[in-house]
Amino acid sequence: MFKKKHKYNIAVVGATGAVGRRMLTTLEERNFPVGQLSALASARSIGKKLPFKGGTIEVKQLTENSFVGVDFALFSAGSSISKKYAPIAVESGCVAIDNSSAWRMEKDIPLIVPEVNPSALGSKCGIIANPNCSTIQMVVALKPIHDQYRIRRVIVSTYQSVSGSGQKAIEELKQQSRDILDGKSIQKNVFPHQIAFNCLPHIDIFMENGYTKEEMKMVDETRKILGDSTIEISPTAVRVPVFYSHSESVNVETELPMEVDKVQNLLSSSPGIFLVDNPEESEYPLAVDACGKEGVFVGRVRRDLVRTNVLNFWVVSDNLLKGAASNAVQIAELALKRLEA
Ligand code: A2P
């Protein structure tokens, strides 16, 4: 039984990782009512210190007992950890918000983007799934268009930063860039090919249908979040040598005709979206500008050259924030509101 409190005990699982660290800063920046905070990671990280609210917290090893007395557990330590420990957390009375793909497509698990489908959360909070980073920023932009014009088809190409593959991937891009500029040979550990000064049309594993798992996540999760399994989605996911923020080129076909200025107004007045669309002044969303911000930035809105019901736009967001940590903390805020109601 949920008890309303002044402050809530939080556990961050995978606290030393690229997303986990952002979860700590987001809890702090959004002023979530944090009581005790447990920073959990593998045995390798025991005793490491992480910054929080002007001080530091010591990392502890994740165990089956880590969730006793915890109210909210935020998971970002990969699918196998979430598969095993999220049910244990819920069993201990926790709301478990999971950033991995372990639970997203389970029928009874809500998959939530608070600006898009808050009502899918319901009143019972057990495991709540946080969608894939590329999906989140796309659905935030698609939702108002779908509500107004009814989307039939989406063709999307992503330009995804290396931080989506974790802290080791960030180090790999740095090291390869240095080595190439210094004329040295490179090491490949995280990515199957050189990522520095290159683009890889390969994120996650290849499926039998020729698409990657990342691409299929965008298809399946978008349909689940928008609650419409008839939307056709054609994705290509590409890893690019950018450290933070994902960019996407989106082509959207709707049932009703669209006018660019109306869509721009609609987007700029929708929650979570910032319109940056002034091409004459070379103003459009950029990965480096979105980095460190919580919003979803949309620009280059333009109609198809021939068809009145087809539109193109460019959407950028910080994959570690709105694509992961901020969305997770927003879900915690939403769950808290439901539970306290
Ligand atoms: P650790 O730093 O101790 O390895 P990233 O996505 O940036 O690679 O981060 C992955 C996160 O998941 C890290 O915090 C990592 O902790 C954590 N992690 C990996 N394996 C385990 C495990 N077996 N138990 C708990 N945390 C884990």
Side-chain angles (χ1 to χ4, degrees):
M1 190 54 198
F2 181 82
K3 276 202 205 94
K4 195 169 170 171
K5 299 184 214 166
H6 194 51
K7 289 188 168 174
Y8 295 91
N9 296 337
I10 311 288
V12 173
V13 180
T16 52
V19 172
R21 287 169 188 266
R22 298 304 190 288
M23 284 172 161
L24 298 179
T25 53
T26 305
L27 285 165
E28 183 176 337
E29 281 162 15
R30 292 186 69 93
N31 220 3
F32 194 87
V34 180
Q36 281 174 17
L37 178 65
S38 314
L40 305 168
S42 77
R44 294 179 290 274
S45 299
I46 295 175
K48 254 192 197 166
K49 300 244 168 43
L50 295 172
F52 188 69
K53 288 198 174 172
T56 55
I57 45 166
E58 205 170 296
V59 178
K60 294 192 196 121
Q61 184 180 1
L62 170 68
T63 69
E64 296 190 5
N65 297 321
S66 297
F67 304 99
V68 177
V70 173
D71 300 297
F72 291 88
L74 308 183
F75 283 81
S76 191
S79 281
S80 54
I81 297 287
S82 296
K83 261 260 148 1
K84 176 173 175 192
Y85 287 94
I88 296 174
V90 171
E91 196 61 33
S92 307
C94 250
V95 175
I97 299 165
D98 181 29
N99 192 52
S100 82
S101 61
W103 301 95
R104 289 178 190 152
M105 293 314 296
E106 297 285 323
K107 194 169 146 284
D108 297 326
I109 302 287
L111 181 65
I112 302 291
V113 180
E115 296 90 339
V116 178
N117 64 339
S119 58
L121 186 60
S123 56
K124 179 178 123 279
C125 298
I127 298 174
I128 306 167
N130 199 41
N132 167 268
C133 43
S134 301
T135 307
I136 294 178
Q137 67 184 66
M138 184 172 76
V139 293
V140 168
L142 290 181
K143 167 73 174 165
I145 298 175
H146 189 48
D147 286 348
Q148 191 95 4
Y149 301 98
R150 172 97 177 79
I151 294 173
R152 278 201 207 133
R153 182 167 198 230
V154 175
I155 302 170
V156 53
S157 297
T158 70
Y159 304 68
Q160 297 182 224
S161 67
V162 296
S163 54
S165 291
Q167 199 60 44
K168 290 194 180 107
I170 297 171
E171 298 312 320
E172 185 153 309
L173 174 57
K174 278 187 196 163
Q175 194 56 47
Q176 285 187 0
S177 304
R178 278 192 205 106
D179 288 344
I180 289 167
L181 292 173
D182 290 345
K184 296 183 188 157
S185 61
I186 57 149
Q187 299 283 318
K188 290 172 287 187
N189 296 310
V190 177
F191 299 107
H193 301 282
Q194 172 187 324
I195 182 63
F197 311 103
N198 205 4
C199 297
L200 311 181
H202 174 185
I203 302 184
D204 210 327
I205 55 172
F206 279 97
M207 315 289 282
E208 271 182 13
N209 65 3
Y211 285 78
T212 60
K213 201 168 168 193
E214 182 81 356
E215 289 161 350
M216 291 314 296
K217 284 177 200 166
M218 294 187 77
V219 175
D220 299 333
E221 295 179 21
T222 299
R223 288 176 171 162
K224 179 168 175 174
I225 296 163
L226 294 179
D228 187 341
S229 58
T230 67
I231 298 176
E232 296 170 20
I233 302 161
S234 217
T236 305
V238 182
R239 189 72 72 193
V240 296
V242 165
F243 286 107
Y244 303 104
S245 300
H246 292 350
S247 306
E248 296 173 357
S249 160
V250 182
N251 173 282
V252 56
E253 178 183 325
T254 53
E255 231 162 64
L256 300 171
M258 294 174 279
E259 281 169 40
V260 167
D261 55 344
K262 291 213 170 108
V263 174
Q264 285 171 320
N265 287 338
L266 177 67
L267 291 169
S268 63
S269 60
S270 297
I273 300 179
F274 296 85
L275 189 77
V276 186
D277 204 1
N278 188 9
E280 280 175 17
E281 299 293 328
S282 303
E283 287 170 7
Y284 28 72
L286 293 173
V288 289
D289 294 337
C291 177
K293 303 198 177 105
E294 290 198 330
V296 169
F297 300 87
V298 182
R300 300 287 326 273
V301 181
R302 63 212 190 275
R303 212 162 67 178
D304 182 79
L305 292 172
V306 180
R307 296 171 60 182
T308 60
N309 63 332
V310 178
L311 193 102
N312 290 293
F313 63 84
W314 179 248
V315 56
V316 180
S317 193
D318 188 325
N319 55 299
L320 299 180
L321 290 178
K322 185 59 190 165
S326 307
N327 200 64
V329 175
Q330 278 180 280
I331 292 174
E333 290 167 356
L334 187 66
L336 192 54
K337 255 193 227 151
R338 293 284 155 86
L339 292 165
E340 284 183 341

